Amino acid sequence: MIKNRLGKAFVVAAICSSAVMADTVIYPDYSLIGIEGGMTSVNSDVDTPTSSDSVNKTVQNIGIKIGAESYNYRIFLTANYYTNPDSSYDYMGTYGGELDYLLNVSSKVNLYLGVNAGIANMKFKAPNETTKRLISNPYYGADAGLNFHASKLIDLEFGARLMMLDATNRKNDVTYTFNNFITAYASIIFKYEMH
């Protein structure tokens, strides 16, 4: 009998506490779809048996990001395509995720700071080689920028992103190591209210 009363009391307490906890769960306020364009500096090292050289290539990028925003947080799934830095590249792309924290500077502007992670993919042919080289390695990094509220459902942002990677391809005693991508970009983000 005491066990039954304790069991019922436990069930009632569990139901009440779960109802209270449900009120504190953070639900997304907006669905987000963004289009991005920018300029990216790709940093790499080329090592041969007789020399070592650092190479910086500047490429354009275009991307899409899909996510959600709630309170001061937003999360994105991202994909970016980079224009060929020269004719030796078949493609260069990244896909991954970003998590940003929004600091309210004013009612019209947010400063955001975030982290990112994902995979970088490249296919290219080195000079004097007949076969292609492939890179598919993880990256991680940070991003920051300003987010302007053009309207209730449209944001414009200007930011910078650092993606660090240690992607190495060694063939015929020649090693290519890609170190980082540094991107300056602008985005338009469309916001859809969630109910």
Side-chain angles (χ1 to χ4, degrees), residues 94-158:
T94 58
Y95 57 92
E98 296 178 3
L99 175 64
D100 295 330
Y101 181 74
L102 303 169
L103 299 164
N104 296 316
V105 177
S106 73
S107 61
K108 291 289 185 183
V109 180
N110 290 49
L111 170 69
Y112 65 90
L113 303 169
V115 294
N116 60 64
I119 300 291
N121 288 316
M122 289 172 262
K123 184 177 183 181
F124 64 100
K125 185 170 73 69
N128 305 316
E129 291 185 355
T130 56
T131 59
K132 304 285 177 80
R133 293 175 180 248
L134 294 174
I135 294 284
S136 183
N137 285 79
Y139 69 82
Y140 63 92
D143 54 276
L146 291 173
N147 181 269
F148 297 89
H149 309 304
S151 71
K152 185 178 179 184
L153 298 178
I154 297 177
D155 285 353
L156 301 174
E157 68 181 27
F158 302 92

Side-chain angles (χ1 to χ4, degrees), residues 14-95:
I15 291 171
C16 290
S17 64
S18 64
V20 170
M21 289 175 66
D23 287 340
T24 62
V25 173
I26 297 174
Y27 294 100
D29 295 326
Y30 295 101
S31 292
L32 308 173
I33 298 176
I35 300 169
E36 173 185 312
M39 298 294 287
T40 299
S41 173
V42 180
N43 175 267
S44 62
D45 297 323
V46 182
D47 295 312
T48 70
T50 58
S51 66
S52 182
D53 193 18
S54 290
V55 179
N56 281 309
K57 294 180 184 287
T58 300
V59 297
Q60 297 173 345
N61 72 289
I62 186 165
I64 187 166
K65 42 193 177 187
I66 299 170
E69 180 180 321
S70 183
Y71 297 101
N72 292 341
Y73 295 94
R74 64 182 186 178
I75 188 167
F76 286 113
L77 294 176
T78 64
N80 275 279
Y81 174 77
Y82 303 83
T83 58
N84 294 338
D86 54 50
S87 60
S88 65
Y89 283 77
D90 287 2
Y91 61 80
M92 184 182 292
T94 58
Y95 57 92

Side-chain angles (χ1 to χ4, degrees), residues 155-176:
D155 285 353
L156 301 174
E157 68 181 27
F158 302 92
R161 180 184 304 113
L162 169 65
M163 297 185 298
M164 296 177 289
L165 63 158
D166 185 15
T168 301
N169 184 290
R170 181 177 175 81
K171 186 188 295 185
N172 302 328
D173 293 330
V174 178
T175 302
Y176 280 76

